[in-house]
Amino acid sequence: QTVVTQEPSLTVSPGGTVTLTCASSTGTVTSGYFPNWFQQKPGQAPRALIYSTSNKHSWTPARFSGSLLGGRAALTLSGVQPDDEAEYYCMLFYGGAQPWVFGGGTRLTVL
Amino acid sequence: EMQMVESGGNLVQPGGSLRLSCAVSGFTFSNYAMNWVRQAAGKGLEWVSRISTSDGSIHYADSVRGRFTISRDDSRNILYLQMNSLSVEDSATYYCAKEPTGGLVTRGQGTLVTV
């Protein structure tokens, strides 16, 4: 069974920079996995931020960026704001019978 | 503006059935594959099912295969999820998601299923 792994929690100071990563149990994450990133705040529905590794949706703030880093997908937040405190989920594409798999989420605390 | 409104969630006994709907507007529904994603209370996101466009190919998570059926009505711009033989583990908020190239996009607030 494919497993997508994220850091359970991270803490960042306001104005700082933080990178969240997303690893696959199958090995190196490449652009062919079409990494996606979602943000979810308490009591709200998830909101897509990044698709296909680094592409932003029209509503994605400029301080969010996606990349591949050290064999993983990565989401970097620059100039973090208190409003960025949320759960962040990555999602990878595997095709086949179960095309999309979510990671377990990273709880980002801005402190 | 793109909208996706999920409905049909309810309280149901184990072994029961429900049909979820997702009414969409603001984009050409028939041009996009569509998915269902769910989230149990206090848990992470879980992909549930996908239906493509023209060839109608369908995929399910192992956890629901054989019990859930995804379908779409392109004439009415509605996505469905028929859920049978429901168990406590199926309790979750269910979201529909549009699939443009390379990703998924959610828009609605989901619909709550309690088993």
Side-chain angles (χ1 to χ4, degrees):
Chain A
Q1 183 176 354
T2 303
V3 177
V4 176
T5 302
Q6 301 179 241
E7 297 86 359
S9 63
L10 291 170
T11 300
V12 61
S13 299
T17 297
V18 65
T19 296
L20 290 63
T21 69
C22 175
S24 171
S25 62
T26 60
T28 298
V29 176
T30 65
S31 59
Y33 286 82
F34 299 100
N36 278 235
W37 291 92
F38 295 80
Q39 178 192 62
Q40 187 176 35
K41 297 179 180 179
Q44 296 185 18
R47 180 180 71 151
L49 292 175
I50 300 288
Y51 65 99
S52 294
T53 304
S54 58
N55 294 281
K56 300 178 186 181
H57 293 283
S58 60
W59 53 82
T60 303
R63 62 184 180 276
F64 291 86
S65 63
S67 65
L68 298 175
L69 189 66
R72 302 183 178 201
L75 176 70
T76 299
L77 287 70
S78 304
V80 171
Q81 300 180 4
D83 187 55
D84 296 332
E85 187 163 286
E87 191 86 18
Y88 291 85
Y89 293 93
C90 74
M91 182 185 72
L92 300 179
F93 179 77
Y94 290 88
Q98 300 188 86
W100 297 104
V101 179
F102 283 95
T106 296
R107 166 67 66 179
L108 181 66
T109 300
V110 181
L111 197 60
Chain B
E1 181 185 354
M2 177 176 64
Q3 288 193 338
M4 290 183 277
V5 180
E6 302 93 345
S7 62
N10 211 333
L11 173 65
V12 62
Q13 295 288 333
S17 298
L18 279 176
R19 188 177 80 158
L20 306 183
S21 299
C22 171
V24 313
S25 61
F27 65 94
T28 305
F29 179 67
S30 59
N31 286 353
Y32 293 91
M34 296 294 295
N35 294 255
W36 286 99
V37 172
R38 69 183 181 182
Q39 185 173 37
K43 304 296 184 182
L45 298 173
E46 178 187 15
W47 173 83
V48 173
S49 183
R50 177 187 188 270
I51 184 168
S52 68
T53 54
S54 56
D55 68 355
S57 62
I58 287 172
H59 302 91
Y60 298 101
D62 287 344
S63 57
V64 307
R65 186 176 296 114
R67 301 185 299 119
F68 288 13
T69 302
I70 191 172
S71 61
R72 62 191 298 160
D73 186 337
D74 288 350
S75 66
R76 300 179 63 198
N77 292 349
I78 301 177
L79 176 71
Y80 298 102
L81 186 68
Q82 176 67 42
M83 305 187 298
N84 299 329
S85 302
L86 285 162
S87 68
V88 172
E89 291 73 30
D90 296 316
S91 295
T93 297
Y94 286 73
Y95 302 97
C96 61
K98 168 189 175 185
E99 187 179 320
T101 302
L104 297 186
V105 175
T106 55
R107 181 64 71 196
Q109 291 303 306
T111 187
L112 179 62
V113 173
T114 304
V115 184

PDB file of all heavy atoms in Angstrom, chain A residues 42-76:
ATOM      1  N   PRO A  42      -9.146  25.231  10.740  1.00  0.00           N
ATOM      2  CA  PRO A  42     -10.155  24.562  11.572  1.00  0.00           C
ATOM      3  C   PRO A  42     -11.578  24.959  11.192  1.00  0.00           C
ATOM      4  O   PRO A  42     -11.876  26.146  11.023  1.00  0.00           O
ATOM      5  CB  PRO A  42      -9.801  25.035  12.979  1.00  0.00           C
ATOM      6  CG  PRO A  42      -8.339  25.318  12.922  1.00  0.00           C
ATOM      7  CD  PRO A  42      -8.102  25.869  11.548  1.00  0.00           C
ATOM      8  N   GLY A  43     -12.426  23.954  11.023  1.00  0.00           N
ATOM      9  CA  GLY A  43     -13.826  24.193  10.718  1.00  0.00           C
ATOM     10  C   GLY A  43     -14.110  24.570   9.281  1.00  0.00           C
ATOM     11  O   GLY A  43     -15.256  24.855   8.929  1.00  0.00           O
ATOM     12  N   GLN A  44     -13.062  24.567   8.451  1.00  0.00           N
ATOM     13  CA  GLN A  44     -13.246  24.938   7.053  1.00  0.00           C
ATOM     14  C   GLN A  44     -12.938  23.772   6.125  1.00  0.00           C
ATOM     15  O   GLN A  44     -12.265  22.818   6.511  1.00  0.00           O
ATOM     16  CB  GLN A  44     -12.348  26.128   6.696  1.00  0.00           C
ATOM     17  CG  GLN A  44     -12.677  27.407   7.449  1.00  0.00           C
ATOM     18  CD  GLN A  44     -11.834  28.577   6.977  1.00  0.00           C
ATOM     19  OE1 GLN A  44     -11.239  28.551   5.899  1.00  0.00           O
ATOM     20  NE2 GLN A  44     -11.800  29.638   7.784  1.00  0.00           N
ATOM     21  N   ALA A  45     -13.419  23.887   4.912  1.00  0.00           N
ATOM     22  CA  ALA A  45     -13.104  22.895   3.887  1.00  0.00           C
ATOM     23  C   ALA A  45     -11.669  23.083   3.406  1.00  0.00           C
ATOM     24  O   ALA A  45     -11.109  24.175   3.512  1.00  0.00           O
ATOM     25  CB  ALA A  45     -14.071  23.047   2.719  1.00  0.00           C
ATOM     26  N   PRO A  46     -11.056  22.039   2.900  1.00  0.00           N
ATOM     27  CA  PRO A  46      -9.707  22.196   2.345  1.00  0.00           C
ATOM     28  C   PRO A  46      -9.737  23.077   1.107  1.00  0.00           C
ATOM     29  O   PRO A  46     -10.720  23.094   0.359  1.00  0.00           O
ATOM     30  CB  PRO A  46      -9.301  20.758   1.993  1.00  0.00           C
ATOM     31  CG  PRO A  46     -10.589  20.025   1.834  1.00  0.00           C
ATOM     32  CD  PRO A  46     -11.546  20.650   2.782  1.00  0.00           C
ATOM     33  N   ARG A  47      -8.639  23.793   0.913  1.00  0.00           N
ATOM     34  CA  ARG A  47      -8.519  24.687  -0.235  1.00  0.00           C
ATOM     35  C   ARG A  47      -7.225  24.371  -0.965  1.00  0.00           C
ATOM     36  O   ARG A  47      -6.165  24.343  -0.350  1.00  0.00           O
ATOM     37  CB  ARG A  47      -8.524  26.150   0.226  1.00  0.00           C
ATOM     38  CG  ARG A  47      -8.404  27.165  -0.896  1.00  0.00           C
ATOM     39  CD  ARG A  47      -8.426  28.588  -0.367  1.00  0.00           C
ATOM     40  NE  ARG A  47      -7.215  28.947   0.354  1.00  0.00           N
ATOM     41  CZ  ARG A  47      -6.732  30.183   0.440  1.00  0.00           C
ATOM     42  NH1 ARG A  47      -7.353  31.167  -0.186  1.00  0.00           N
ATOM     43  NH2 ARG A  47      -5.653  30.443   1.152  1.00  0.00           N
ATOM     44  N   ALA A  48      -7.330  24.146  -2.263  1.00  0.00           N
ATOM     45  CA  ALA A  48      -6.146  23.838  -3.051  1.00  0.00           C
ATOM     46  C   ALA A  48      -5.243  25.065  -3.173  1.00  0.00           C
ATOM     47  O   ALA A  48      -5.727  26.175  -3.407  1.00  0.00           O
ATOM     48  CB  ALA A  48      -6.548  23.347  -4.439  1.00  0.00           C
ATOM     49  N   LEU A  49      -3.950  24.853  -3.000  1.00  0.00           N
ATOM     50  CA  LEU A  49      -2.967  25.929  -3.113  1.00  0.00           C
ATOM     51  C   LEU A  49      -2.059  25.766  -4.330  1.00  0.00           C
ATOM     52  O   LEU A  49      -1.788  26.723  -5.049  1.00  0.00           O
ATOM     53  CB  LEU A  49      -2.080  25.968  -1.864  1.00  0.00           C
ATOM     54  CG  LEU A  49      -2.698  26.372  -0.539  1.00  0.00           C
ATOM     55  CD1 LEU A  49      -1.657  26.213   0.569  1.00  0.00           C
ATOM     56  CD2 LEU A  49      -3.208  27.802  -0.597  1.00  0.00           C
ATOM     57  N   ILE A  50      -1.538  24.563  -4.516  1.00  0.00           N
ATOM     58  CA  ILE A  50      -0.532  24.275  -5.526  1.00  0.00           C
ATOM     59  C   ILE A  50      -0.931  23.011  -6.281  1.00  0.00           C
ATOM     60  O   ILE A  50      -1.412  22.046  -5.669  1.00  0.00           O
ATOM     61  CB  ILE A  50       0.844  24.045  -4.881  1.00  0.00           C
ATOM     62  CG1 ILE A  50       1.310  25.268  -4.100  1.00  0.00           C
ATOM     63  CG2 ILE A  50       1.884  23.624  -5.943  1.00  0.00           C
ATOM     64  CD1 ILE A  50       1.727  26.448  -4.948  1.00  0.00           C
ATOM     65  N   TYR A  51      -0.722  23.001  -7.599  1.00  0.00           N
ATOM     66  CA  TYR A  51      -0.926  21.794  -8.383  1.00  0.00           C
ATOM     67  C   TYR A  51       0.258  21.582  -9.304  1.00  0.00           C
ATOM     68  O   TYR A  51       1.002  22.515  -9.608  1.00  0.00           O
ATOM     69  CB  TYR A  51      -2.242  21.857  -9.175  1.00  0.00           C
ATOM     70  CG  TYR A  51      -2.296  22.924 -10.237  1.00  0.00           C
ATOM     71  CD1 TYR A  51      -2.048  22.612 -11.574  1.00  0.00           C
ATOM     72  CD2 TYR A  51      -2.599  24.246  -9.913  1.00  0.00           C
ATOM     73  CE1 TYR A  51      -2.087  23.590 -12.561  1.00  0.00           C
ATOM     74  CE2 TYR A  51      -2.652  25.229 -10.888  1.00  0.00           C
ATOM     75  CZ  TYR A  51      -2.403  24.894 -12.210  1.00  0.00           C
ATOM     76  OH  TYR A  51      -2.444  25.859 -13.182  1.00  0.00           O
ATOM     77  N   SER A  52       0.445  20.343  -9.731  1.00  0.00           N
ATOM     78  CA  SER A  52       1.544  19.992 -10.628  1.00  0.00           C
ATOM     79  C   SER A  52       2.861  20.593 -10.153  1.00  0.00           C
ATOM     80  O   SER A  52       3.532  21.338 -10.885  1.00  0.00           O
ATOM     81  CB  SER A  52       1.236  20.452 -12.058  1.00  0.00           C
ATOM     82  OG  SER A  52       0.152  19.747 -12.587  1.00  0.00           O
ATOM     83  N   THR A  53       3.209  20.274  -8.939  1.00  0.00           N
ATOM     84  CA  THR A  53       4.473  20.633  -8.295  1.00  0.00           C
ATOM     85  C   THR A  53       4.550  22.098  -7.862  1.00  0.00           C
ATOM     86  O   THR A  53       4.818  22.384  -6.687  1.00  0.00           O
ATOM     87  CB  THR A  53       5.690  20.331  -9.205  1.00  0.00           C
ATOM     88  OG1 THR A  53       5.670  18.960  -9.590  1.00  0.00           O
ATOM     89  CG2 THR A  53       6.998  20.648  -8.477  1.00  0.00           C
ATOM     90  N   SER A  54       4.362  23.017  -8.813  1.00  0.00           N
ATOM     91  CA  SER A  54       4.692  24.408  -8.503  1.00  0.00           C
ATOM     92  C   SER A  54       3.690  25.423  -9.036  1.00  0.00           C
ATOM     93  O   SER A  54       3.923  26.635  -8.908  1.00  0.00           O
ATOM     94  CB  SER A  54       6.071  24.733  -9.061  1.00  0.00           C
ATOM     95  OG  SER A  54       6.099  24.509 -10.460  1.00  0.00           O
ATOM     96  N   ASN A  55       2.629  24.963  -9.630  1.00  0.00           N
ATOM     97  CA  ASN A  55       1.651  25.888 -10.204  1.00  0.00           C
ATOM     98  C   ASN A  55       0.666  26.379  -9.155  1.00  0.00           C
ATOM     99  O   ASN A  55       0.122  25.589  -8.385  1.00  0.00           O
ATOM    100  CB  ASN A  55       0.889  25.195 -11.341  1.00  0.00           C
ATOM    101  CG  ASN A  55       1.793  24.886 -12.508  1.00  0.00           C
ATOM    102  OD1 ASN A  55       2.121  25.744 -13.312  1.00  0.00           O
ATOM    103  ND2 ASN A  55       2.223  23.639 -12.595  1.00  0.00           N
ATOM    104  N   LYS A  56       0.454  27.673  -9.160  1.00  0.00           N
ATOM    105  CA  LYS A  56      -0.462  28.271  -8.189  1.00  0.00           C
ATOM    106  C   LYS A  56      -1.842  28.486  -8.816  1.00  0.00           C
ATOM    107  O   LYS A  56      -1.968  28.809  -9.985  1.00  0.00           O
ATOM    108  CB  LYS A  56       0.085  29.617  -7.704  1.00  0.00           C
ATOM    109  CG  LYS A  56       1.433  29.520  -7.023  1.00  0.00           C
ATOM    110  CD  LYS A  56       1.944  30.890  -6.597  1.00  0.00           C
ATOM    111  CE  LYS A  56       3.370  30.762  -6.052  1.00  0.00           C
ATOM    112  NZ  LYS A  56       3.905  32.060  -5.595  1.00  0.00           N
ATOM    113  N   HIS A  57      -2.858  28.331  -7.996  1.00  0.00           N
ATOM    114  CA  HIS A  57      -4.197  28.703  -8.418  1.00  0.00           C
ATOM    115  C   HIS A  57      -4.314  30.229  -8.357  1.00  0.00           C
ATOM    116  O   HIS A  57      -3.473  30.907  -7.750  1.00  0.00           O
ATOM    117  CB  HIS A  57      -5.237  28.045  -7.519  1.00  0.00           C
ATOM    118  CG  HIS A  57      -5.288  26.549  -7.668  1.00  0.00           C
ATOM    119  ND1 HIS A  57      -5.894  25.924  -8.736  1.00  0.00           N
ATOM    120  CD2 HIS A  57      -4.796  25.556  -6.890  1.00  0.00           C
ATOM    121  CE1 HIS A  57      -5.769  24.617  -8.603  1.00  0.00           C
ATOM    122  NE2 HIS A  57      -5.098  24.356  -7.491  1.00  0.00           N
ATOM    123  N   SER A  58      -5.352  30.745  -8.963  1.00  0.00           N
ATOM    124  CA  SER A  58      -5.517  32.191  -9.024  1.00  0.00           C
ATOM    125  C   SER A  58      -5.668  32.807  -7.634  1.00  0.00           C
ATOM    126  O   SER A  58      -5.370  33.980  -7.432  1.00  0.00           O
ATOM    127  CB  SER A  58      -6.716  32.557  -9.892  1.00  0.00           C
ATOM    128  OG  SER A  58      -7.903  31.986  -9.360  1.00  0.00           O
ATOM    129  N   TRP A  59      -6.117  32.014  -6.678  1.00  0.00           N
ATOM    130  CA  TRP A  59      -6.347  32.506  -5.335  1.00  0.00           C
ATOM    131  C   TRP A  59      -5.175  32.250  -4.379  1.00  0.00           C
ATOM    132  O   TRP A  59      -5.235  32.597  -3.208  1.00  0.00           O
ATOM    133  CB  TRP A  59      -7.607  31.851  -4.763  1.00  0.00           C
ATOM    134  CG  TRP A  59      -7.575  30.351  -4.835  1.00  0.00           C
ATOM    135  CD1 TRP A  59      -6.970  29.475  -3.971  1.00  0.00           C
ATOM    136  CD2 TRP A  59      -8.160  29.548  -5.867  1.00  0.00           C
ATOM    137  NE1 TRP A  59      -7.146  28.191  -4.393  1.00  0.00           N
ATOM    138  CE2 TRP A  59      -7.864  28.194  -5.550  1.00  0.00           C
ATOM    139  CE3 TRP A  59      -8.901  29.821  -7.015  1.00  0.00           C
ATOM    140  CZ2 TRP A  59      -8.304  27.124  -6.349  1.00  0.00           C
ATOM    141  CZ3 TRP A  59      -9.321  28.778  -7.803  1.00  0.00           C
ATOM    142  CH2 TRP A  59      -9.027  27.448  -7.466  1.00  0.00           C
ATOM    143  N   THR A  60      -4.125  31.622  -4.857  1.00  0.00           N
ATOM    144  CA  THR A  60      -3.000  31.269  -3.988  1.00  0.00           C
ATOM    145  C   THR A  60      -2.116  32.490  -3.735  1.00  0.00           C
ATOM    146  O   THR A  60      -1.621  33.097  -4.686  1.00  0.00           O
ATOM    147  CB  THR A  60      -2.152  30.159  -4.618  1.00  0.00           C
ATOM    148  OG1 THR A  60      -2.976  29.028  -4.890  1.00  0.00           O
ATOM    149  CG2 THR A  60      -1.012  29.755  -3.689  1.00  0.00           C
ATOM    150  N   PRO A  61      -1.918  32.839  -2.467  1.00  0.00           N
ATOM    151  CA  PRO A  61      -1.033  33.977  -2.164  1.00  0.00           C
ATOM    152  C   PRO A  61       0.383  33.747  -2.689  1.00  0.00           C
ATOM    153  O   PRO A  61       0.878  32.619  -2.715  1.00  0.00           O
ATOM    154  CB  PRO A  61      -1.050  34.034  -0.635  1.00  0.00           C
ATOM    155  CG  PRO A  61      -2.337  33.391  -0.237  1.00  0.00           C
ATOM    156  CD  PRO A  61      -2.546  32.291  -1.241  1.00  0.00           C
ATOM    157  N   ALA A  62       1.039  34.826  -3.071  1.00  0.00           N
ATOM    158  CA  ALA A  62       2.370  34.752  -3.675  1.00  0.00           C
ATOM    159  C   ALA A  62       3.404  34.164  -2.726  1.00  0.00           C
ATOM    160  O   ALA A  62       4.423  33.620  -3.165  1.00  0.00           O
ATOM    161  CB  ALA A  62       2.801  36.140  -4.127  1.00  0.00           C
ATOM    162  N   ARG A  63       3.189  34.247  -1.427  1.00  0.00           N
ATOM    163  CA  ARG A  63       4.178  33.755  -0.468  1.00  0.00           C
ATOM    164  C   ARG A  63       4.242  32.219  -0.408  1.00  0.00           C
ATOM    165  O   ARG A  63       5.150  31.670   0.232  1.00  0.00           O
ATOM    166  CB  ARG A  63       3.903  34.314   0.931  1.00  0.00           C
ATOM    167  CG  ARG A  63       2.575  33.921   1.528  1.00  0.00           C
ATOM    168  CD  ARG A  63       2.377  34.626   2.874  1.00  0.00           C
ATOM    169  NE  ARG A  63       1.098  34.271   3.506  1.00  0.00           N
ATOM    170  CZ  ARG A  63      -0.047  34.864   3.211  1.00  0.00           C
ATOM    171  NH1 ARG A  63      -0.089  35.837   2.316  1.00  0.00           N
ATOM    172  NH2 ARG A  63      -1.167  34.486   3.827  1.00  0.00           N
ATOM    173  N   PHE A  64       3.315  31.542  -1.078  1.00  0.00           N
ATOM    174  CA  PHE A  64       3.343  30.086  -1.141  1.00  0.00           C
ATOM    175  C   PHE A  64       4.025  29.654  -2.438  1.00  0.00           C
ATOM    176  O   PHE A  64       3.707  30.176  -3.519  1.00  0.00           O
ATOM    177  CB  PHE A  64       1.930  29.494  -1.123  1.00  0.00           C
ATOM    178  CG  PHE A  64       1.211  29.652   0.182  1.00  0.00           C
ATOM    179  CD1 PHE A  64       0.500  30.809   0.462  1.00  0.00           C
ATOM    180  CD2 PHE A  64       1.224  28.646   1.130  1.00  0.00           C
ATOM    181  CE1 PHE A  64      -0.168  30.958   1.665  1.00  0.00           C
ATOM    182  CE2 PHE A  64       0.555  28.786   2.340  1.00  0.00           C
ATOM    183  CZ  PHE A  64      -0.140  29.947   2.606  1.00  0.00           C
ATOM    184  N   SER A  65       4.938  28.696  -2.348  1.00  0.00           N
ATOM    185  CA  SER A  65       5.566  28.168  -3.549  1.00  0.00           C
ATOM    186  C   SER A  65       5.802  26.679  -3.396  1.00  0.00           C
ATOM    187  O   SER A  65       6.063  26.190  -2.295  1.00  0.00           O
ATOM    188  CB  SER A  65       6.872  28.894  -3.865  1.00  0.00           C
ATOM    189  OG  SER A  65       7.813  28.690  -2.824  1.00  0.00           O
ATOM    190  N   GLY A  66       5.715  25.971  -4.527  1.00  0.00           N
ATOM    191  CA  GLY A  66       5.930  24.534  -4.533  1.00  0.00           C
ATOM    192  C   GLY A  66       7.154  24.172  -5.337  1.00  0.00           C
ATOM    193  O   GLY A  66       7.515  24.874  -6.287  1.00  0.00           O
ATOM    194  N   SER A  67       7.796  23.063  -4.968  1.00  0.00           N
ATOM    195  CA  SER A  67       9.003  22.630  -5.658  1.00  0.00           C
ATOM    196  C   SER A  67       9.250  21.160  -5.367  1.00  0.00           C
ATOM    197  O   SER A  67       8.486  20.505  -4.644  1.00  0.00           O
ATOM    198  CB  SER A  67      10.200  23.465  -5.196  1.00  0.00           C
ATOM    199  OG  SER A  67      10.468  23.221  -3.807  1.00  0.00           O
ATOM    200  N   LEU A  68      10.330  20.654  -5.982  1.00  0.00           N
ATOM    201  CA  LEU A  68      10.855  19.335  -5.642  1.00  0.00           C
ATOM    202  C   LEU A  68      12.185  19.554  -4.921  1.00  0.00           C
ATOM    203  O   LEU A  68      13.013  20.353  -5.376  1.00  0.00           O
ATOM    204  CB  LEU A  68      11.053  18.489  -6.901  1.00  0.00           C
ATOM    205  CG  LEU A  68       9.791  18.178  -7.699  1.00  0.00           C
ATOM    206  CD1 LEU A  68      10.136  17.437  -8.983  1.00  0.00           C
ATOM    207  CD2 LEU A  68       8.809  17.369  -6.859  1.00  0.00           C
ATOM    208  N   LEU A  69      12.361  18.833  -3.830  1.00  0.00           N
ATOM    209  CA  LEU A  69      13.521  19.090  -2.992  1.00  0.00           C
ATOM    210  C   LEU A  69      13.999  17.786  -2.367  1.00  0.00           C
ATOM    211  O   LEU A  69      13.265  17.158  -1.592  1.00  0.00           O
ATOM    212  CB  LEU A  69      13.143  20.086  -1.896  1.00  0.00           C
ATOM    213  CG  LEU A  69      14.230  20.673  -1.010  1.00  0.00           C
ATOM    214  CD1 LEU A  69      15.155  21.547  -1.848  1.00  0.00           C
ATOM    215  CD2 LEU A  69      13.608  21.492   0.122  1.00  0.00           C
ATOM    216  N   GLY A  70      15.195  17.369  -2.739  1.00  0.00           N
ATOM    217  CA  GLY A  70      15.759  16.177  -2.113  1.00  0.00           C
ATOM    218  C   GLY A  70      14.909  14.940  -2.269  1.00  0.00           C
ATOM    219  O   GLY A  70      14.776  14.145  -1.332  1.00  0.00           O
ATOM    220  N   GLY A  71      14.296  14.759  -3.422  1.00  0.00           N
ATOM    221  CA  GLY A  71      13.488  13.569  -3.667  1.00  0.00           C
ATOM    222  C   GLY A  71      12.081  13.650  -3.122  1.00  0.00           C
ATOM    223  O   GLY A  71      11.350  12.655  -3.126  1.00  0.00           O
ATOM    224  N   ARG A  72      11.715  14.816  -2.646  1.00  0.00           N
ATOM    225  CA  ARG A  72      10.377  15.012  -2.096  1.00  0.00           C
ATOM    226  C   ARG A  72       9.720  16.210  -2.771  1.00  0.00           C
ATOM    227  O   ARG A  72      10.385  17.037  -3.375  1.00  0.00           O
ATOM    228  CB  ARG A  72      10.451  15.277  -0.589  1.00  0.00           C
ATOM    229  CG  ARG A  72      11.129  14.184   0.211  1.00  0.00           C
ATOM    230  CD  ARG A  72      11.098  14.497   1.697  1.00  0.00           C
ATOM    231  NE  ARG A  72      11.712  13.423   2.475  1.00  0.00           N
ATOM    232  CZ  ARG A  72      11.497  13.199   3.756  1.00  0.00           C
ATOM    233  NH1 ARG A  72      10.669  13.993   4.431  1.00  0.00           N
ATOM    234  NH2 ARG A  72      12.111  12.202   4.374  1.00  0.00           N
ATOM    235  N   ALA A  73       8.411  16.288  -2.640  1.00  0.00           N
ATOM    236  CA  ALA A  73       7.707  17.515  -2.990  1.00  0.00           C
ATOM    237  C   ALA A  73       7.806  18.447  -1.794  1.00  0.00           C
ATOM    238  O   ALA A  73       7.870  17.987  -0.648  1.00  0.00           O
ATOM    239  CB  ALA A  73       6.252  17.233  -3.314  1.00  0.00           C
ATOM    240  N   ALA A  74       7.826  19.740  -2.064  1.00  0.00           N
ATOM    241  CA  ALA A  74       7.991  20.704  -0.984  1.00  0.00           C
ATOM    242  C   ALA A  74       7.061  21.886  -1.179  1.00  0.00           C
ATOM    243  O   ALA A  74       6.793  22.305  -2.312  1.00  0.00           O
ATOM    244  CB  ALA A  74       9.442  21.182  -0.909  1.00  0.00           C
ATOM    245  N   LEU A  75       6.588  22.401  -0.065  1.00  0.00           N
ATOM    246  CA  LEU A  75       5.797  23.630  -0.035  1.00  0.00           C
ATOM    247  C   LEU A  75       6.533  24.610   0.868  1.00  0.00           C
ATOM    248  O   LEU A  75       6.771  24.307   2.044  1.00  0.00           O
ATOM    249  CB  LEU A  75       4.397  23.380   0.515  1.00  0.00           C
ATOM    250  CG  LEU A  75       3.513  24.624   0.689  1.00  0.00           C
ATOM    251  CD1 LEU A  75       3.107  25.172  -0.681  1.00  0.00           C
ATOM    252  CD2 LEU A  75       2.277  24.298   1.526  1.00  0.00           C
ATOM    253  N   THR A  76       6.905  25.750   0.315  1.00  0.00           N
ATOM    254  CA  THR A  76       7.610  26.764   1.078  1.00  0.00           C
ATOM    255  C   THR A  76       6.725  27.979   1.281  1.00  0.00           C
ATOM    256  O   THR A  76       6.119  28.472   0.335  1.00  0.00           O
ATOM    257  CB  THR A  76       8.912  27.185   0.371  1.00  0.00           C
ATOM    258  OG1 THR A  76       9.764  26.036   0.256  1.00  0.00           O
ATOM    259  CG2 THR A  76       9.636  28.268   1.161  1.00  0.00           C
TER     260      THR A  76
END
